[in-house]
Amino acid sequence: MDFNTLFFGLMIIGSLAVFFYFGKFRASSKQRNRTDKIDWTVSLWSKLRSKKKKD
Amino acid sequence: MARHRALQMFGRSGNPAFRSKAFTQRSSDFSTSEVMTLSGTVNKTGFYLLLCFMTAAWTWNQLYSGADVGIYLWGGLGGGFIAALVTIFKPTLAPYSAPIYALLEGFMIGGISAIFESMYPGIVIQAVGLTFGTLAALLMAYKTGLIKPTENFRLMIFAATGGIALLYFVNFIMMFFGSSIGFIHSNGFFGILFSLVVVAIAALNLVLDFDFIEEASEHGAPKYLEAYGAFSLLVTLIWLYLEILRLLAKLQSRN
């Protein structure tokens, strides 16, 4: 096994482990308690349309 | 009827997969087994990645055993596109259409990867490593609050993604007339700069996917959005992988 395969192979295993472990935890309170969060209830199109009407 | 209304609720992240509305439907509207969770979405993402890997490995082996893989490559591309459209416009079908998308895209990715690997040995594992490395790094950056997705961030990524899609579409049309947008494929300074920008935009789409999944599960969105969230993550990951593969190929072709 060459160095390229070993290095990137370990990188894949490590990254997947991080994703499957930390992906199941909720984000930090710093992330969740922001006031400028994205409002996913409003689509980007309707937001842009209402902005255009205001202008 | 209330359930049907829930379908209209979720919006786009900027990558080809999220639409809007569904947060108004609270967890109290569903039984707990019908509510989207973070771990359910992560598990589904893992399952779809596995499906994608299986068909990719199959096409890869076919190509190396000397078989013609053209039909798998184009069939996977076309079929995957149809499955993606079904998932985007009918999110309730995501639990069925997203695994089909993963399987079909695997055929396409396996063929493309094998072709690149035959030209530049060792390139595929580098591209896979960098793709998952980016996924893990951005997940940590998002979870810790290092990257904060805001409305302006979403608008910027959406506009940039749309611009790239338009550029690729124009290039695709030009190919029918025997021409193309030169710098997209060149391995010169602008070609590599373009690929770097596209990789960055694709990677930032992951942040929007994480935010959508986090918010949807926190608001107790319906269960089928687990499959939808995993599908969006897979779309972005496949796009990111192909762009990294192209960037590495450009860099290696300079040697």
Side-chain angles (χ1 to χ4, degrees):
Chain A
M1 192 184 286
D2 62 347
F3 178 74
N4 182 56
T5 312
L6 187 69
F7 178 79
F8 286 100
L10 287 174
M11 193 174 183
I12 292 168
I13 294 166
S15 303
L16 284 174
V18 166
F19 174 71
F20 286 111
Y21 185 72
F22 290 103
K24 294 177 181 181
F25 288 105
R26 289 172 73 190
S28 64
S29 54
K30 188 178 158 191
Q31 182 71 272
R32 281 184 287 125
N33 301 332
R34 285 185 294 123
T35 50
D36 57 350
K37 285 203 294 189
I38 296 173
D39 181 7
W40 289 104
T41 58
V42 183
S43 80
L44 208 52
W45 290 119
S46 57
K47 195 157 253 185
L48 286 173
R49 246 182 281 140
S50 65
K51 203 174 179 185
K52 217 174 184 183
K53 271 181 193 171
K54 270 184 198 169
D55 293 341
Chain B
M1 188 65 196
R3 238 171 160 239
H4 181 71
R5 271 206 310 275
L7 302 182
Q8 310 302 320
M9 293 186 184
F10 272 99
R12 276 186 182 267
S13 73
N15 85 0
F18 283 133
R19 284 206 325 207
S20 200
K21 299 180 184 175
F23 283 87
T24 51
Q25 200 82 25
R26 303 287 164 172
S27 52
S28 55
D29 298 334
F30 306 96
S31 73
T32 41
S33 62
E34 289 176 314
V35 172
M36 178 183 183
T37 61
L38 272 180
S39 59
T41 312
V42 169
N43 290 340
K44 282 194 172 64
T45 308
F47 177 59
Y48 298 162
L49 281 173
L50 186 70
L51 291 178
C52 192
F53 175 77
M54 277 162 50
T55 46
W58 191 81
T59 319
W60 175 290
N61 285 331
Q62 289 292 310
L63 195 126
Y64 274 94
S65 62
D68 180 20
V69 295
I71 189 156
Y72 302 116
L73 218 151
W74 290 108
L77 185 68
F81 183 67
I82 293 167
L85 288 180
V86 169
T87 314
I88 290 167
F89 291 106
K90 198 84 178 146
T92 36
L93 293 178
Y96 312 103
S97 56
I100 294 170
Y101 170 81
L103 285 168
L104 290 169
E105 286 297 292
F107 284 123
M108 189 260 300
I109 283 182
I112 289 176
S113 301
I115 292 167
F116 272 92
E117 183 72 16
S118 62
M119 289 193 289
Y120 311 105
I123 196 175
V124 168
I125 194 151
Q126 290 175 359
V128 175
L130 290 173
T131 304
F132 285 129
T134 308
L135 173 77
L138 284 174
L139 179 74
M140 292 310 293
Y142 174 77
K143 293 277 182 189
T144 54
L146 205 62
I147 293 182
K148 297 181 182 76
T150 60
E151 285 293 352
N152 283 341
F153 178 84
R154 172 160 77 143
L155 192 63
M156 188 191 77
I157 298 301
F158 184 79
T161 307
I164 292 164
L166 189 68
L167 202 65
Y168 280 163
F169 181 70
V170 169
N171 183 66
F172 179 71
I173 298 296
M174 283 173 76
M175 277 164 62
F176 288 107
F177 301 98
S179 179
S180 68
I181 303 173
F183 71 91
I184 289 182
H185 309 291
S186 97
N187 62 357
F189 175 74
F190 286 108
I192 288 170
L193 186 68
F194 172 76
S195 276
L196 277 171
V197 170
V198 175
V199 165
I201 299 299
L204 290 174
N205 266 293
L206 285 173
V207 177
L208 288 177
D209 294 341
F210 296 147
D211 194 56
F212 175 86
I213 292 166
E214 182 87 25
E215 289 292 307
S217 52
E218 195 169 321
H219 284 79
K223 189 82 175 168
Y224 64 81
L225 283 174
E226 276 182 2
Y228 195 61
F231 159 77
S232 336
L233 212 49
L234 189 69
V235 170
T236 312
L237 279 175
I238 289 172
W239 180 32
L240 181 63
Y241 167 71
L242 291 174
E243 292 299 343
I244 289 177
L245 199 61
R246 249 158 64 95
L247 174 63
L248 292 174
K250 281 181 185 179
L251 289 170
Q252 292 207 15
S253 68
R254 286 164 71 96
N255 298 329

